[in-house]
Amino acid sequence: INISLTAETWADVITSALRQYLWSDDRFREHVSVSSVRDAREQLAPLLSEVLSPQLRQHLTPEAVICPAMIRKTPDGQDASGSDGNSETEILRRNPLSTLQRAPEDE
């Protein structure tokens, strides 16, 4: 059982409502399936344009959401799929814009 005693933030309230709105449309419920960062950005651009105001679109661009730092490469420079790096195949990892919070350790 998880009991939270902290108040929600406005970001929590807004993103919860936005998530509910997005779930009402089949396009936003589709699983993400991309062959490259370029492909991801091309698929994401029209979706962002539809739901974001012009002001937000200045900050949440496809390039900001799907950024090069999300590409996972092996130590020898190959992408994680095993190609020679010339392939468009790339594997995405955690967005650096996201945050992680450490839960308090049990005593």
Side-chain angles (χ1 to χ4, degrees):
I1 296 176
N2 182 8
I3 300 174
S4 178
L5 300 177
T6 60
E8 285 198 325
T9 65
W10 283 113
D12 294 329
V13 172
I14 292 168
T15 56
S16 177
L18 180 59
R19 181 181 302 263
Q20 294 297 321
Y21 169 76
L22 295 176
W23 279 340
S24 71
D25 188 314
D26 291 340
R27 294 169 301 149
F28 294 102
R29 290 194 312 267
E30 291 178 4
H31 292 280
V32 176
S33 177
V34 298
S35 60
S36 67
V37 170
R38 183 177 350 158
D39 181 33
R41 290 175 176 170
E42 287 172 359
Q43 289 184 44
L44 182 61
L47 298 173
L48 288 177
S49 293
E50 186 169 329
V51 297
L52 297 179
S53 69
Q55 181 182 6
L56 279 175
R57 282 195 303 256
Q58 291 177 352
H59 301 286
L60 293 176
T61 64
E63 293 76 21
V65 176
I66 308 293
C67 62
M70 295 172 69
I71 305 304
R72 185 169 45 153
K73 300 280 185 182
T74 60
D76 60 359
Q78 294 186 358
D79 70 32
S81 67
S83 75
D84 61 4
N86 295 322
S87 167
E88 286 293 313
T89 303
E90 297 163 324
I91 296 178
L92 302 180
R93 63 181 178 189
R94 185 180 67 82
N95 187 324
L97 297 176
S98 65
T99 61
L100 296 176
Q101 296 182 0
R102 182 180 301 270
E105 295 185 24
D106 294 335
E107 294 184 28

